[in-house]
Amino acid sequence: MDIELIRTAGGKRPADMAVVNGQLVNVYSGEILPGGVAVTNGRIAAVGDVDYTIGENTVVIDAQGDYITPGFIDGHIHPESSSLALQPLAQILLQHGTTAIMTDLHECGVVAGLPAIEALLEEVKQTDLKLYFVVPSHVPFSPNLETSGGHFDVEIIRKALLREDAVGLSECVCTYVDAEYDQLLQSIDDTVAMHKSVQGHMPAVTHPQLMECLAAGLNTDHEAFDGADAIARLRAGCHVMIREGSVARSLKDCLQPILDAGMDTGRVSIITDDLHTVDLQERGHLDDSLRTALGMGLDFVKAIQMVTVNCARAFNLDREIGGLAPGRRADVNITTGPEDFRVLTTFAGGRQITDNGKLLVHYETAEHEPCVLNTMHLKNPITADSFNIHAPAGAKKVKALVMDTLPYMPFTNRRDVELPVVVLDAREMALSHDELPDQYARSTQFGLVPESQNQLPKRIMPPVALDKANGTERFLQAFVRHAPLSSEEALAYLALFAGSGELSLLLDFFGKESKPDIALVESLFPYAGVRRTSSSFCAFELSNMGRHELMCAQFASIAPFTRYEDEDSFV
């Protein structure tokens, strides 16, 4: 029992800090009222009228009429997707008003098991971000179908659930419930017995399988893809976590039908699931999701509830976090209003983290435990050839299985395609000048060019290689369609050049009066790092390639590129 906190609440002891003169967003009553927040020992002592708690040494923060909200909570996030260590990730999340996250650190567990997860849980304690551990329900994700460095069984899961920071069981796959996978069912029983949350993973699950999973004990799901999914889960008593991240952006599709139906949103929260660093830096975190929700016309208090108290209740943590009330952790944001929503200032555990957007803290790089280092062990070295798929000898076409991904939708579709076989070694190439179409003529400077721009082929020509091995120093090249073409537009083409162990790619543009169409080249070669170097040339160097026979088709898997500064460097 914190006696100092109690005394501050009763007016017997001054608060350590007080945020005053704000519009207090009460997520419990659904009201916005004038007032402030008083804090002692990192906990909220009083809300509303807090003038009586202010003493001579109380740090007073003037909200200047802005809104005071609880710190935001992301109830389902995989930090590994950011490719950041927890320290820099914590800084960015806090800067956007997120003060607590729920995560299973599953990917770390897949690599090195529970010891790796526990090592990272210790690392995050160096920050002000509150991390709640949701124990992975299975490692690897698809048991008996994949290999991994770490493995979880019932006993390991039970041990992890006993941790003080463990708040539930993560990613309980409905397919495994339906198959009555005994280890998963036992772990669900253990979790329920400890009064902790059972987090579902139920993509494309409908009645009656949905009923089956909820009957087994699952009480949340983050896999709803549209309004029908979300409404079906709400009506069955399931807490719906709507994704708005980098892999899936489902907020508009899921939330709008709920609002149109006039349904209660108390069991709806917004999460990110997987969030890439670029999106985090450019768009933000839950503050970005709130801007989207508010743009849909969602009531301001209801929007704040979806990133605070609703999520806390899903984990039985609403007496700890999620609202501004006595005894709660002092996670507080000062924000603008719904018209142009921004997080101005953030406090985590009573400590000021930002001031009008400026970060006031810096976390040193963690000294990682040995168990999370040197985890990659390869049987063979990785070379450019490792990414080649070798076709049967003599084959000109092969059938291949392609996996299509959908934008902002974590579904994959199967597609069967027939692909041409490309020979990578110039010495094995059968293509000769005589075999090229008649509309192509010789050019002593650049090999082969079309006589007319209007005769460009409809696709990239077959094999592209430099015949340096035979000493002929001649090369063939592919042509890229640039349609619709006109006499004023540039003709983009590729050429391979070898020398001194280097392979260089020159992009030349005809039509000196027109600027190079950099956007076109970037769209054709998205990994090439195309950069304009002059009015007519863009040149790049690939050093230490080793095999000069590599095709331009291989460029996408090779990096980094060192840029030439001007075309004279290529001469």
Side-chain angles (χ1 to χ4, degrees):
M1 185 70 68
D2 189 338
I3 297 299
E4 292 183 335
L5 178 67
I6 296 172
R7 289 173 178 169
T8 299
K12 302 171 186 177
R13 177 194 184 277
D16 297 339
M17 181 191 76
V19 181
V20 301
N21 190 27
Q23 298 295 314
L24 198 69
V25 179
N26 193 315
V27 295
Y28 304 112
S29 67
E31 300 172 290
I32 299 177
L33 302 170
V37 178
V39 176
T40 289
N41 294 340
R43 298 251 166 200
I44 296 174
V47 297
D49 178 9
V50 296
D51 289 347
Y52 74 96
T53 68
I54 297 175
E56 183 179 351
N57 296 320
T58 301
V59 176
V60 179
I61 308 295
D62 187 354
Q64 300 180 354
D66 285 317
Y67 293 84
I68 304 175
T69 78
F72 305 150
I73 307 167
D74 192 335
H76 187 94
I77 183 173
H78 298 284
E80 300 94 331
S81 295
S82 71
S83 300
L84 293 175
L86 289 175
Q87 286 75 15
L89 177 63
Q91 289 185 185
I92 301 176
L93 295 183
L94 287 163
Q95 197 166 13
H96 289 278
T98 300
T99 53
I101 63 173
M102 283 74 172
T103 180
D104 57 11
L105 295 174
H106 178 272
E107 286 82 354
C108 294
V110 168
V111 172
L114 184 59
I117 292 177
E118 292 181 328
L120 295 181
L121 291 174
E122 287 300 311
E123 285 186 15
V124 80
K125 291 180 181 179
Q126 303 172 23
T127 77
D128 295 282
L129 180 70
K130 183 65 175 177
L131 188 151
Y132 293 94
F133 179 36
V134 192
V135 179
S137 58
H138 44 272
V139 170
F141 195 81
S142 300
N144 304 321
L145 291 178
E146 57 182 305
T147 57
S148 63
H151 298 272
F152 277 30
D153 57 22
V154 171
E155 293 304 319
I156 292 176
I157 292 172
R158 186 178 292 120
K159 173 187 175 184
L161 284 168
L162 291 172
R163 287 180 56 97
E164 184 179 353
D165 55 2
V167 295
L169 190 67
S170 179
E171 303 278 13
C172 297
V173 178
C174 193
T175 304
Y176 302 160
V177 173
D178 184 58
E180 300 180 8
Y181 183 49
D182 59 345
Q183 293 209 17
L184 176 60
L185 298 183
Q186 181 60 59
S187 293
I188 292 174
D189 277 345
D190 291 342
T191 306
V192 173
M194 297 180 194
H195 304 288
K196 298 184 178 185
S197 180
V198 181
Q199 306 288 293
H201 178 95
M202 301 186 285
V205 172
T206 57
H207 201 95
Q209 196 177 27
L210 176 62
M211 304 294 111
E212 180 183 29
C213 292
L214 299 179
L218 280 61
N219 65 296
T220 78
D221 182 47
H222 59 278
E223 295 286 347
F225 294 111
D226 54 29
D229 277 354
I231 288 174
R233 283 154 176 73
L234 281 180
R235 287 174 174 166
C238 178
H239 184 104
V240 177
M241 295 180 170
I242 302 178
R243 286 181 292 199
E244 190 72 1
S246 298
V247 174
R249 300 186 71 86
S250 307
L251 186 56
K252 291 182 178 180
D253 290 338
C254 289
L255 183 58
Q256 192 63 59
I258 294 173
L259 300 179
D260 292 344
M263 301 179 72
D264 184 82
T265 57
R267 295 178 68 83
V268 177
S269 58
I270 303 171
I271 54 98
T272 56
D273 198 356
D274 294 282
L275 189 62
H276 302 160
T277 303
V278 173
D279 288 337
L280 182 56
Q281 191 69 24
E282 293 181 353
R283 301 177 64 105
H285 188 218
L286 293 174
D287 55 335
D288 176 59
S289 303
L290 284 171
R291 285 188 285 271
T292 299
L294 293 168
M296 296 167 56
L298 182 62
D299 173 75
F300 186 49
V301 177
K302 288 186 182 297
I304 298 299
Q305 287 171 333
M306 289 184 186
V307 295
T308 57
V309 69
N310 291 3
C311 182
R313 286 171 175 160
F315 288 92
N316 302 317
L317 289 171
D318 52 308
R319 293 189 64 178
E320 173 72 14
I321 56 173
L324 302 177
R328 271 59 170 187
R329 188 173 188 262
D331 295 337
V332 182
N333 288 331
I334 301 175
T335 77
T336 61
E339 295 79 14
D340 180 26
F341 184 78
R342 289 176 296 114
V343 176
L344 302 174
T345 300
T346 295
F347 304 86
R351 182 186 184 192
Q352 186 170 2
I353 305 300
T354 63
D355 182 12
N356 200 23
K358 180 182 178 181
L359 193 64
L360 303 179
V361 300
H362 173 74
Y363 306 125
E364 297 297 329
T365 302
E367 293 291 334
H368 298 302
E369 290 294 325
C371 63
V372 299
L373 300 174
N374 303 313
T375 58
M376 183 69 73
H377 306 286
L378 302 174
K379 289 184 178 180
N380 302 302
I382 298 297
T383 66
D385 188 60
S386 303
F387 298 93
N388 295 329
I389 301 175
H390 297 279
K396 294 184 177 181
K397 292 183 177 181
V398 294
K399 292 182 178 180
L401 183 63
V402 174
M403 182 172 66
D404 288 332
T405 59
L406 304 176
Y408 294 124
M409 188 71 70
F411 272 140
T412 55
N413 293 328
R414 170 177 174 150
R415 182 159 55 93
D416 296 287
V417 298
E418 190 175 74
L419 299 175
V421 174
V422 176
V423 180
L424 298 185
D425 194 328
R427 289 166 292 189
E428 300 174 3
M429 289 178 57
L431 186 64
S432 68
H433 289 253
D434 297 335
E435 295 171 331
L436 286 172
D438 294 337
Q439 65 263 36
Y440 291 86
R442 284 289 301 274
S443 166
T444 56
Q445 184 179 8
F446 290 114
L448 299 165
V449 298
E451 292 177 338
S452 167
Q453 292 182 9
N454 295 326
Q455 294 175 335
L456 283 173
K458 300 300 182 184
R459 65 192 66 181
I460 297 178
M461 291 289 289
V464 181
L466 173 72
D467 192 357
K468 180 73 173 178
N470 294 330
T472 61
E473 295 189 0
R474 66 183 178 84
F475 59 89
L476 305 174
Q477 63 188 28
F479 297 92
V480 178
R481 184 185 182 197
H482 181 184
L485 286 171
S486 66
S487 58
E488 290 80 24
E489 290 179 310
L491 169 61
Y493 73 95
L494 298 173
L496 295 177
F497 178 89
S500 303
E502 301 176 346
L503 187 65
S504 299
L505 166 64
L506 171 67
L507 299 173
D508 193 7
F509 295 82
F510 288 88
K512 301 300 181 182
E513 299 302 319
S514 61
K515 295 181 180 179
D517 191 341
I518 303 301
L520 166 70
V521 181
E522 285 182 322
S523 67
L524 294 167
F525 303 97
Y527 299 97
V530 178
R531 182 170 69 90
R532 179 179 176 180
T533 56
S534 73
S535 62
S536 60
F537 284 88
C538 287
F540 307 89
E541 179 185 42
L542 289 170
S543 301
N544 302 319
M545 289 290 296
R547 289 190 58 186
H548 58 260
E549 298 91 357
L550 285 169
M551 313 299 294
C552 67
Q554 298 295 308
F555 284 153
S557 62
I558 300 168
F561 285 81
T562 302
R563 276 87 166 175
Y564 287 100
E565 292 303 321
D566 54 64
E567 60 267 32
D568 293 334
S569 301
F570 193 78
V571 177

